[in-house]
Amino acid sequence: MKLVTAFIRKEKLIDVISALFEKNIHGLTVSNVKGHGGEGEKVETYRGTRVKKELSEKLKLEIGVSDEFVDLAVKTVMSSARTGNVGDGKIFVIPVEKVYRIRTGEEDNQAVTPLTPKN
Amino acid sequence: MKLVTAFIRKEKLIDVISALFEKNIHGLTVSNVKGHGGEGEKVETYRGTRVKKELSEKLKLEIGVSDEFVDLAVKTVMSSARTGNVGDGKIFVIPVEKVYRIRTGEEDNQAVTPLTPKN
Amino acid sequence: MKLVTAFIRKEKLIDVISALFEKNIHGLTVSNVKGHGGEGEKVETYRGTRVKKELSEKLKLEIGVSDEFVDLAVKTVMSSARTGNVGDGKIFVIPVEKVYRIRTGEEDNQAVTPLTPKN
Amino acid sequence: MNLLKRFIEKGAAPLIVAAYLCVFFLVSLVGAQEETEAVASTINGADTGWILVSTAFVIFMVVGLGFFYGGLVRRKNALNTMMMSFIALGIVSITWAVIGYSFAYGSPNVNLIGLSFEFFGMNGIGLDSTTGDDGIPKILDFAFQGAFAIITAALISGAIVERMRFSAYMFFITIWSVLGYAVMAFWVWGGGLFDFGEHNLFGLNDAIDFAGGTVVHINAAVAALVLAFMLGKRKDHGNKAMLPHQVPFTLLGAGILWVGWFGFNGGSAYGANATAALAMTNTLLAPAAAIVAWATLDYFRTGKVTAVGLATAIIVGLVAITPGAGVMGPIAAIVVGLITTVPCYFFIEWRASSGLDDSLDVFGAHGLGGIVGSLLTGVFVSTTWGGDVDGSMKQFMSQLVAVLIAIGYSVVITFVIASITRVFFPLRAQESLEDVGLDVAMHGEEAYSDGEGAILIPIGD
Amino acid sequence: MNLLKRFIEKGAAPLIVAAYLCVFFLVSLVGAQEETEAVASTINGADTGWILVSTAFVIFMVVGLGFFYGGLVRRKNALNTMMMSFIALGIVSITWAVIGYSFAYGSPNVNLIGLSFEFFGMNGIGLDSTTGDDGIPKILDFAFQGAFAIITAALISGAIVERMRFSAYMFFITIWSVLGYAVMAFWVWGGGLFDFGEHNLFGLNDAIDFAGGTVVHINAAVAALVLAFMLGKRKDHGNKAMLPHQVPFTLLGAGILWVGWFGFNGGSAYGANATAALAMTNTLLAPAAAIVAWATLDYFRTGKVTAVGLATAIIVGLVAITPGAGVMGPIAAIVVGLITTVPCYFFIEWRASSGLDDSLDVFGAHGLGGIVGSLLTGVFVSTTWGGDVDGSMKQFMSQLVAVLIAIGYSVVITFVIASITRVFFPLRAQESLEDVGLDVAMHGEEAYSDGEGAILIPIGD
Amino acid sequence: MNLLKRFIEKGAAPLIVAAYLCVFFLVSLVGAQEETEAVASTINGADTGWILVSTAFVIFMVVGLGFFYGGLVRRKNALNTMMMSFIALGIVSITWAVIGYSFAYGSPNVNLIGLSFEFFGMNGIGLDSTTGDDGIPKILDFAFQGAFAIITAALISGAIVERMRFSAYMFFITIWSVLGYAVMAFWVWGGGLFDFGEHNLFGLNDAIDFAGGTVVHINAAVAALVLAFMLGKRKDHGNKAMLPHQVPFTLLGAGILWVGWFGFNGGSAYGANATAALAMTNTLLAPAAAIVAWATLDYFRTGKVTAVGLATAIIVGLVAITPGAGVMGPIAAIVVGLITTVPCYFFIEWRASSGLDDSLDVFGAHGLGGIVGSLLTGVFVSTTWGGDVDGSMKQFMSQLVAVLIAIGYSVVITFVIASITRVFFPLRAQESLEDVGLDVAMHGEEAYSDGEGAILIPIGD
Ligand SMILES: Nc1ncnc2c1ncn2[C@@H]1O[C@H](COP(=O)(O)OP(=O)(O)O)[C@@H](O)[C@H]1O
Ligand SMILES: Nc1ncnc2c1ncn2[C@@H]1O[C@H](COP(=O)(O)OP(=O)(O)O)[C@@H](O)[C@H]1O
Ligand SMILES: Nc1ncnc2c1ncn2[C@@H]1O[C@H](COP(=O)(O)OP(=O)(O)O)[C@@H](O)[C@H]1O
């Protein structure tokens, strides 16, 4: 199993989620993050204080999937989160050794996704 | 070493933390996330705008432990975070290659947990 | 490739970021977390309610780097985030199987860092 | 069965409104003819101006209360808590127009008790009517006193936040604002029961309540306590730390309440005169003294002066001076502020760890503060400062008896009304909703939303 | 080309200010001599006091409006939205001093239309001048009416938030506050066009607008609608859920607006008298009725009483009673509140899912509410309650004609001014800035900042 | 040693309170007899009404100030900053009652300087006493002027937020409100030093300070500066970006301050008269002009009109017009607003990058604004507008001398009081606490808490 971890634009979230749902990938977690990549900096001014904001608001998506779903998840995120402008983000695929469903104690593949990917 | 990563219910946090402390697991990090799993959606209305909220507020717990602690940590989280209702969350066990304690530069097992698990 | 994941003090962020930039490491993501480690607890009082705050505010840094950058990233974070007092945090080096740049679809090393580390 | 329940739940509110509507239309037909009868007496512009302002200030208090309370609850219940204050502005204004004002200020149907229908549906209140000697338009008296009714009803909510069903709350205050508030207002200010002296009751003097210590604060606080008991404590009470989600709102609320209270107490002089000036000054000094006392206690016990404590102290000081604001000297006001703080401080300390889930300490602040303030009014009232009598044991006893009657009545009537409410609506939200939070559960909204993961539902769905 | 554009963009504002400065200095030289000419009549202290307070209250409304609107937008546009209200305090005060007041209240240059230069640059308004019979210092009348001009301009912003360019907005309201607002104020209150009866127009009565239903609410709402059309809808409108980022601010704003409105309507009685008292009471009861009605509709349709809905209901009720606050009875006020709520409720429901991006429903609340309220004033106005006439079909028609003229003029003038504005500034922010948010894009600030990742730029850089 | 220190730290506050208590009880015994002696003169209802309202407004300013300042600091210091304003409401009210009012308005013990004990412990202020010609109850004068003392003390806090120890601050303002504020109030308004003309000092005219430019703003700003110097700069000053954590609070605060200032300046006319109306209008126009000027400067320099800038401009304009609000014409007020903005703007720009950590620019806004405003009052004061003199070089010099004396005295007295404070409490919080934030460190609370990771401590622990 893998944890597909993507940093994406805030305004793309709904598109990405909807795309994932369509592919039958329903388990995911989102968090607010701030990132620095190739994007330009913003300058802000508060009275005499001028600051350069090095970080822009992004979202982090964590999607735990069984191995056969990895590619699908990556592709789905990639296509739905892309705008083509700098700042679209990255996807990291992280290995996972074990997965448990807290409610039932089920392990591994049972705990993450439906059995067959829907294309 | 592993990073035990759990997505749990907000209201269960204190129970989980206390349970971990009892087992002598003290190093952990919590963050606010929003997740989608098997839970039902909520509908909200703001004037004429009706929306379906696909995400519910959850917490993410990251617990870096040495290998002998993994099972204990997983079990402790699983039992203390369980309500039995849909939405209890998942635990992912992620491999870690190196751990460092920033303060001292200590590495690996020294950096994470007490040497012997307390049952 | 690795995801260098560090939990650091809030007030050290700018120092850490600047240090990383100097080493030509520009891709990173920051998030607000709360952690428990060796630090003392704080007691707060709200009317008659007294509480022990087990968690202190920290930041989580995620830096996706190609293998040759791992050590540099770790050392840079370690030296710039250190105060020497309890609570400086930990660094976890997590293996990554694949990295994608969403904008272009580029993979792996191309997706993360400049090709040669700058010392 | 379920369907029936749902019908009642969904149907009750519109039915009430429909009833209002009918009543009003009838009344408006009748009323039109009678309005001109009232004998015109001269309006005093200066006094009227001050009461106009005071009315606005007391309405502002309701907003302040919403924020004072709203900041103290958890994020997920912020709107629900604020709504309990704001909805009172709607409901109680209307009940006050229909019958509340009449019960409180009409010539009594039942001696000592009131229940007058003289001003039913605002009948008989014309543009030219005044309150008599005061030279205030009667219609302004209606609004000013109406604002008191609103804030009193809203005060109750502090004890039952984070668990009471909103529809039950609406139903409850609809009735309570009439039978709980208006009736007691008659006893205190309309010439009713609490004019012990006038009616030769128990050989006591008239109980003094300058601006509403008994009828507003004790009354609301006791009602709050009774409701809290009937509802039971929140699921998390005593197990989990429930911290104020936004203390600045609480400070803002306390600040607004203080400013509004200048109208509450100052306006109760019914004119822009020396008594109003005295009430104003006392309304500044008593909370100031309470702040100093509370901060000292805080500092002494924990080494830290807390913001929530300071906000609470403001309320305690304001409540304490309310019954005597215009009848005692400023030094006495300071003393009242200092003294009252002590029991309130320790009661609130104790309450938090007790099983009693008066969630935002309505009783600790308004009840105890009102009681101590009322009793101290019997001690410090002074003819030098415009009181009808000087402080005495007899006056103290008169105050005590009034307080006891107020408590007793409030216990009974609140219990009765809540029991009736229970017939139509479960008083309490389902336990699982407490985890979700009442904002989403009762109002389908979140106080602070970033819209993440929210998908627009096209109309028709 | 780009340089020129940049010059115009950056240069326009200072030029305007420079122009102001010149005008004022000239005026002040001239003015100094003429000021003493006005005939002193007696000032009524009580009435003056109340209007002093009312002025402060109406200014407070602008703050309230900023929060009402600011809470409803997304976090990234919070400051931009609030700034649209706050900047109006600066700009419109000045335009009002230069020429607005003169257009609205000077003796007309053009019959029925006004455009007087009598008080140009506040010329001729001295310390001793009064408004005549009222016994209010003329300079206070200036400030009180100026506050109305400010709030009217600020109201418009609700329709165009989250996408209008700030410089274009500033330019627009500079002109609109004079040609859009002041001109119509003359028609309504200065003795102009809307005094149908006096001028024997169309065989109608004078149109009644006690506190500004047409000139403030309909006028602003129609202007808002026109601007919204000209700007087009937000990029995300209809695709993405755009939720209020901080509903407590919206409640706070609604509360402040209500309190301020007591000065708006009550002050429009121009004295601390029975009419002010009536206006005050009606300003309490109509929104209360609107709350009850809105809550009922909400509850009936979705089972949930919403906080945003309640805040909206307050505004709708306040708008509805504005034109008739001091000329109809309190029961009528309740009825007005109840009736007006219904069309506003359903219009706003519908609007959200339509293509019309009147983002914060300025038209649904102020436009529709103002129209229905104005028409109902023609029905419920009553001599018993101080009106000059009783409700009648003729009065209803007079109201209707006034409403239609107001709408027509507002459409035309807004279109013209916005078109002129467009010559100097693109009306709309670049589309990509809508994603970033206008706070950063237009103001270089964030409403809520934790300073993370912010690096101090040394001066000189 | 440590124990002793701890005792002093923890013990000082209660001892102060104990002292208060003793004083009051004594006073109340004595006072009771003397109260009736004052000669009753007629109370003017209209004027009294307006001052009642103005008092409430000035108290509201303190709330506004807390939010203005509170929004500008970092999240972790929000409560501490707000508390510095709120605690002043408690402490200064009491010091004002004990001795402040007496020092400011009693007949002087020391000629020109004051230090009167006439009204010690409010002795001699009865229900019937008035301020004489004004027809305002003396006790209202006490409250109204007390509100000025409170806001002045609170203003100081802006320079020392995020690092001053709270107990030291409390101790400091306790003394400063008497020796810093009340003494200078006597000089300006009580008939003291600054009545140069009356006392034939330096051949100058009486210095004009209509509503408190010197005694409130310059005085507080200089004290702020001195304290900032004595404390030293924040650890992060100049290294790290310290951004306002909640700009909407700053806008709210500025809005509330503006509204409250109508009472501050308008109430300083001591009546509901033409001068009050003038002061009101000028208090609208000067900040409006300041907004326009500031926005223009902002726009010209960075292309962006900032919200924090706009809020600052409001304050600058308000401060600038304070000394001359009731003695100059409205066009002059606009000019004052425009002119004063320029130096304040550039000073504040420069300050941020200097080593001077006047954290929230108390000096830049209140000091510089007050100085320029005071001097311009000497230029623009006009008998046409109710001034005693017309603007002249001599008057300008009188203003200048008054400003210089005010600055000099404020420097000295603040230094002395802070040095005394230092004996009992370290002025500054430990450096490590600056990282944690003073909310947790000084008050044991967080402004915004989600309760995560908070474990309830059972009582007894
Ligand atoms: N190496 C990295 N490690 C962690 N996060 C990264 C990394 N590179 C980019 N990100 C995240 O992705 C976001 C967008 O990346 P950026 O490099 O600007 O996009 P692009 O790939 O289009 O140039 C950043 O704001 C950051 O949150
Ligand atoms: N595959 C997954 N990847 C990442 N997070 C997940 C995944 N599945 C569930 N979660 C997280 O766990 C939370 C609860 O999961 P859910 O599936 O509703 O619980 P249950 O296992 O009881 O059905 C979700 O809100 C989400 O945050
Ligand atoms: N085992 C762990 N797993 C996850 N996070 C940890 C762990 N240990 C420490 N942390 C994070 O690091 C922060 C500081 O750790 P702490 O142990 O206090 O520092 P130190 O290593 O200096 O003693 C904690 O607040 C927590 O966020």
Side-chain angles (χ1 to χ4, degrees), chain D residues 420-431:
Chain D
I420 293 170
T421 306
R422 195 178 255 167
V423 173
F424 298 95
F425 306 90
L427 293 181
R428 215 177 146 149
Q430 292 157 46
E431 223 181 54

Side-chain angles (χ1 to χ4, degrees), chain E residues 260-344:
Chain E
W261 224 294
F262 289 126
F264 191 96
N265 286 353
S268 293
Y270 263 68
N273 48 37
T275 299
L278 175 65
M280 180 73 135
T281 303
N282 288 347
T283 306
L284 178 62
L285 292 176
I291 289 175
V292 170
W294 196 289
T296 307
L297 289 167
D298 252 5
Y299 194 72
F300 217 32
R301 298 193 55 242
T302 70
K304 283 168 183 164
V305 177
T306 61
V308 171
L310 183 135
T312 311
I314 290 175
I315 307 305
V316 166
L318 288 165
V319 169
I321 199 59
T322 295
V327 295
M328 63 172 68
I331 298 298
I334 291 176
V335 174
V336 166
L338 291 173
I339 293 179
T340 311
T341 302
V342 180
C344 292

Side-chain angles (χ1 to χ4, degrees), chain E residues 382-429:
Chain E
S382 152
T383 49
T384 315
W385 294 99
D388 288 330
V389 293
D390 278 305
S392 65
M393 187 41 107
K394 187 174 170 189
Q395 188 61 43
F396 182 88
M397 290 310 297
S398 310
Q399 300 296 111
L400 183 61
V401 172
V403 164
L404 292 175
I405 296 176
I407 293 175
Y409 180 70
S410 193
V411 166
V412 172
I413 197 75
T414 303
F415 180 77
V416 170
I417 299 172
S419 300
I420 293 172
T421 306
R422 195 178 255 167
V423 173
F424 298 96
F425 307 90
L427 291 181
R428 213 175 146 149

Side-chain angles (χ1 to χ4, degrees), chain B residues 2-3 25-30 61-65 99-104 106 111-113, chain C residues 6-9 33-40 54-59 84-92:
Chain B
K2 305 281 178 271
L3 198 60
I25 300 176
H26 283 98
L28 55 85
T29 300
V30 178
L61 217 65
E62 288 167 294
I63 315 165
V65 288
V99 184
Y100 303 86
R101 184 188 294 274
I102 293 175
R103 172 160 50 94
T104 56
E106 283 168 291
V112 276
T113 35
Chain C
F7 300 102
I8 63 168
R9 291 179 187 280
V33 298
K34 292 184 183 165
H36 183 94
E39 302 170 283
E54 298 285 359
L55 304 175
S56 358
E57 297 196 345
K58 299 280 166 186
L59 288 177
N85 299 320
V86 171
D88 277 355
K90 304 266 169 4
I91 303 177
F92 296 84

Side-chain angles (χ1 to χ4, degrees), chain D residues 46 57 238 241 243 245-248 251-252 272 274 280-281 284 288 292 296 299 303-308 330-331 338 353 385, chain F residues 9-10 14 17 21 35 45-46 52 56 67 79 83 86 93 121-122 125 127 139 167 441-443 445 447-449 456 459:
Chain D
F57 275 15
L243 307 186
H245 87 289
Q246 178 134 213
V247 181
L251 286 173
L252 178 65
M280 180 73 134
T281 303
L284 178 62
V292 170
T296 307
Y299 193 72
K304 283 170 183 163
V305 177
T306 60
V308 172
I331 298 298
L338 291 172
S353 58
W385 293 99
Chain F
E9 267 180 41
K10 290 229 174 179
V17 176
L21 268 170
E35 269 144 4
L52 284 166
F67 277 79
L79 287 185
M83 284 292 279
F86 277 83
S93 295
M122 299 187 72
I125 307 175
L127 191 58
I139 198 154
S167 42
M442 296 283 148
H443 307 286
E445 292 168 300
Y448 314 95
S449 178
L456 210 59
I459 208 124

